[in-house]
Amino acid sequence: MACLFSFKVPSFNWRIYFPYTLCARKAHDYIQVEKLLREMLQKGSITEVEFNKIDALNR
């Protein structure tokens, strides 16, 4: 039996409908990286100079 309704459903592009999602994800990633870097700095895994360089690149 043939389908009565023959039409294409457009693909859903979430970036168009939810542009703030990308921005929120980037902000969340930045916060997570900053927490990790601060922990590494406190434990002595990286120096303050390295911390500042990585933090500047992350922004």
Side-chain angles (χ1 to χ4, degrees):
M1 183 171 186
C3 181
L4 298 176
F5 302 103
S6 177
F7 59 90
K8 283 188 172 184
V9 176
S11 62
F12 181 76
N13 188 347
W14 60 273
R15 288 182 188 97
I16 293 171
Y17 298 104
F18 303 106
Y20 63 88
T21 305
L22 289 175
C23 191
R25 188 178 338 157
K26 286 180 183 178
H28 178 264
D29 290 349
Y30 171 76
I31 291 168
Q32 293 301 318
V33 168
E34 188 176 13
K35 285 180 184 177
L36 180 63
L37 283 174
R38 289 200 185 281
E39 187 177 321
M40 290 174 70
L41 180 63
Q42 289 174 352
K43 290 183 178 182
S45 299
I46 59 173
T47 65
E48 181 114 16
V49 173
E50 291 171 323
F51 172 83
N52 292 334
K53 284 181 181 179
I54 296 169
D55 190 46
L57 288 172
N58 195 31
R59 290 181 187 198

